[in-house]
Amino acid sequence: MTVSPRCSQLLKVLLPFVFLLLVVGFFFSPSNPITPPTNWSKPTTGDSTKPERPESKETTTDEPPPTINVPVQGPVNTDGAAPFKKASFIQDAADWEIDGQYDDSPLRELCSKTKWQPGLIFKCEAAYGGIGNVRNTVLTCVRYAIEAGATALLVPQITVRGDTDLADLKTGKMLPFTYMLDEHHFTTSLLAACPKMRLISHEDDLADMPSILNPSKIKPIQLSTDIRLGRVIKYAKEWRSIFDKWLKDYGAPNGFSASSPLLVSVAPSFFEYSIHSDSPKFIATFGRIIRFNEETRHLAATVLYAMDKKYKMNLNASHTGIPQVEKFYGAHLRTDSDAEKAGFAPYSEQSKAYLAAAHAAKLSVAYVASGSPSDTERFTKEAGEQGISVTTKYALLESDPEYANALARMKALTWDQQALIDYAILLRSSIFGGTWASSFGWNIVFKRHVAVGNGVWVPSEAAKKEMGIKRRRRRGGDQQEPPNECYRDSISTVFGWDGAGIWFEVSMWP
């Protein structure tokens, strides 16, 4: 039979469609289940022929789309989920900062306006004491160095506390910056904001410079008698001109230069620089050039994970700003042997304040930092009678064999290094309580206060008056029973008499 040319053309057009319908009918038939190709979304590496995902076609009838029957694979193995969650939580917690991303623009602005002095090298003599003292000593010395226009700074060292006597702070045994702090973070943060200043790792690196063999020693606070409360300078804004005169008259009467530098050795300066001479944003952010070393940050993160797991707190390891509410109370029970010698508030006063505060906040878990095992046990018993569960870093890491490695590493740390772990946990507490004589507690309060101010330092009324008054009005009137509150914001309280520790408010960097 002869097919007309027109019919032949029609068949050529229709045959492909008929073939396509037969193929679709076969593959989507309920009797022919298939599994979609796994290489649609992940082509084989190096294969130049990349399979394409078929385009979806619109349904033109009211019938439901054909069902693809995927063979049952059995239960999904989720054994790796818990380890992944733990590792992720710990890493996030270790990298965490309460005020979020660091803004170094205030420090950059200060350094851009500084009149630098080539050849002037500052050496911060070794800081000593607990982290509250060490941290502020380093920051104060760096602030003096910038104000002086020093173009080089020796990375500070830290003096180790006595092994048997906690009150023995001047042992003469000095360790590197990394004993407590992160040197890489310190140097990179400072150099990024102050490119005219260089950091020198060790004094031995200056051995080829004869001019620095006899350093000029200075106690910054002694450059003038214009001070408050016997410890905080009033003349921060004039300090540079006073220092330059000291250089000319005493420190370097013959001058100095980049080729013949001068080394100025600065005595430890604890709480003497008036922080309110700088802007509120600078006050809030300057302390971020310092953070704890990696080991203590990871151990603290592990303790936090253990607490979250044990008490089912549902903590967010990355949460910044004001700490999560209704999680736990943080108490700094500072009743150790050295505190007793120094005249700190007794156990009875501190414990009463903390338990009352935890009860008022309706918090059923309290994390306690204390160097006194007997007082910790006593506090735990008293809290239990009020329905409050007390935990510590040791209790948490000893609670499960999975933390055995972290526990062993923590036990290898010194008393002051272990305190860094407590500091990091207390920083996250929903409500925190400290005692007035402790720089450790005040430092935690002030770092938390930056979060209250949303990244800007908001001073108390007493601080704004720059210590023009010696005592503050009692909260609740003169009939208030002890323990009084000498400082309070929405998430932290320092207990003590009115005006106690006011020097911390005007001289401690958060």
Side-chain angles (χ1 to χ4, degrees):
M1 181 178 67
T2 303
V3 180
S4 68
R6 186 171 182 178
C7 288
S8 177
Q9 284 293 109
L10 184 60
L11 286 172
K12 288 181 181 180
V13 173
L14 290 176
L15 280 175
F17 285 96
V18 172
F19 177 75
L20 180 62
L21 288 173
L22 289 173
V23 171
V24 171
F26 173 80
F27 278 99
F28 288 90
S29 169
S31 61
N32 292 284
I34 64 168
T35 302
T38 58
N39 61 352
W40 279 350
S41 58
K42 295 182 179 180
T44 303
T45 303
D47 186 356
S48 60
T49 305
K50 299 182 179 180
E52 298 179 352
R53 185 183 295 273
E55 296 181 357
S56 60
K57 296 184 178 181
E58 296 181 356
T59 304
T60 56
T61 69
D62 294 331
E63 294 294 325
T67 302
I68 300 178
N69 296 318
V70 180
V72 177
Q73 302 290 332
V76 177
N77 185 352
T78 60
D79 290 345
F84 175 79
K85 178 182 178 182
K86 177 182 177 182
S88 177
F89 182 101
I90 290 174
Q91 188 60 55
D92 288 345
D95 293 339
W96 170 87
E97 292 283 353
I98 191 169
D99 50 342
Q101 186 174 356
Y102 173 39
D103 177 10
D104 70 349
S105 59
L107 180 56
R108 286 179 181 269
E109 181 180 3
L110 174 67
C111 288
S112 68
K113 296 178 179 178
T114 296
K115 183 180 179 182
W116 300 96
Q117 305 197 63
L120 180 60
I121 304 172
F122 258 44
K123 173 189 175 181
C124 304
E125 293 183 9
Y128 58 88
I131 185 59
N133 285 10
V134 168
R135 187 175 181 276
N136 210 66
T137 299
V138 172
L139 288 170
T140 299
C141 187
V142 172
R143 184 63 186 87
Y144 276 132
I146 295 172
E147 194 67 17
T151 50
L153 175 71
L154 277 162
V155 176
Q157 293 181 308
I158 300 172
T159 300
V160 182
R161 189 191 298 258
D163 293 331
T164 57
D165 183 4
L166 295 178
D168 184 11
L169 302 178
K170 299 180 180 180
T171 61
K173 180 182 178 182
M174 292 178 289
L175 291 179
F177 192 81
T178 53
Y179 168 62
M180 287 187 180
L181 308 171
D182 186 333
E183 182 174 341
H184 176 73
H185 174 80
F186 174 71
T187 56
T188 54
S189 299
L190 194 53
L191 291 176
C194 305
K196 294 293 182 67
M197 178 185 283
R198 70 186 180 102
L199 275 294
I200 303 170
S201 297
H202 198 276
E203 197 166 350
D204 291 345
D205 296 334
L206 300 173
D208 60 340
M209 299 180 180
S211 63
I212 61 93
L213 295 178
N214 296 307
S216 297
K217 296 189 176 183
I218 184 177
K219 290 184 178 181
I221 197 170
Q222 293 182 350
L223 293 185
S224 173
T225 58
D226 192 13
I227 58 176
R228 294 189 174 101
L229 294 180
R231 64 178 72 207
V232 182
I233 65 174
K234 288 183 179 181
Y235 52 92
K237 291 184 180 297
E238 295 79 35
W239 190 84
R240 171 61 183 269
S241 60
I242 297 173
F243 173 75
D244 284 347
K245 186 176 187 306
W246 174 85
L247 276 179
K248 182 179 179 181
D249 295 342
Y250 304 101
N254 297 321
F256 60 91
S257 64
S259 59
S260 182
L262 170 70
L263 179 63
V264 175
S265 185
V266 184
S269 305
F270 291 102
F271 308 103
E272 65 179 53
Y273 193 92
S274 180
I275 64 172
H276 293 94
S277 62
D278 288 311
S279 70
K281 187 68 176 178
F282 183 92
I283 297 171
T285 57
F286 181 48
R288 287 291 300 274
I289 64 174
I290 286 182
R291 71 175 180 180
F292 300 158
N293 62 40
E294 186 175 5
E295 172 72 349
T296 52
R297 285 188 287 114
H298 274 80
L299 286 174
T302 304
V303 171
L304 186 73
Y305 173 82
M307 183 165 64
D308 181 55
K309 182 178 179 181
K310 180 176 181 178
Y311 295 103
K312 298 179 173 58
M313 290 181 176
N314 194 29
L315 294 173
N316 180 352
S318 300
H319 176 85
T320 59
I322 292 178
Q324 292 175 271
V325 299
E326 301 178 354
K327 299 301 181 182
F328 68 99
Y329 184 81
H332 181 214
L333 189 61
R334 189 66 168 93
T335 58
D336 319 74
S337 58
D338 63 321
E340 186 177 355
K341 290 179 181 179
F344 281 42
Y347 169 85
S348 59
E349 184 176 319
Q350 292 187 47
S351 60
K352 179 180 179 180
Y354 300 151
L355 290 175
H359 181 76
K362 299 180 179 180
L363 293 168
S364 60
V365 177
Y367 179 93
V368 176
S370 177
S372 172
S374 59
D375 283 343
T376 300
E377 183 178 354
R378 185 178 172 188
F379 185 83
T380 300
K381 181 180 178 181
E382 293 176 3
E385 293 171 353
Q386 299 185 32
I388 299 173
S389 298
V390 173
T391 192
T392 66
K393 58 183 179 292
Y394 270 96
L396 290 166
L397 294 188
E398 290 173 345
S399 66
D400 194 303
E402 73 170 300
Y403 310 123
N405 178 264
L407 178 62
R409 286 157 51 204
M410 185 174 74
K411 287 182 176 179
L413 301 179
T414 65
W415 191 83
D416 281 310
Q417 287 176 316
Q418 291 188 23
L420 305 181
I421 298 172
D422 287 326
Y423 184 112
I425 302 299
L426 294 173
L427 204 57
R428 289 178 174 268
S429 57
S430 302
I431 301 293
F432 171 74
T435 186
W436 74 269
S438 170
S439 61
F440 177 93
W442 278 103
N443 205 222
I444 291 171
V445 167
F446 291 156
K447 280 195 71 70
R448 289 162 60 86
H449 189 65
V450 171
V452 173
N454 195 28
V456 176
W457 184 250
V458 181
S460 69
E461 290 301 315
K464 283 191 289 186
K465 292 179 181 178
E466 288 282 6
M467 293 171 293
I469 55 176
K470 292 185 178 180
R471 295 179 62 81
R472 282 166 283 180
R473 180 175 59 82
R474 289 179 182 268
R475 299 180 187 277
D478 291 338
Q479 302 303 315
Q480 182 181 1
E481 294 295 324
N484 296 319
E485 300 169 357
C486 60
Y487 185 93
R488 173 193 279 274
D489 62 20
S490 60
I491 57 175
S492 307
T493 304
V494 179
F495 295 97
W497 68 81
D498 299 331
I502 190 170
W503 56 86
F504 290 124
E505 291 193 55
V506 296
S507 64
M508 178 181 277
W509 302 100

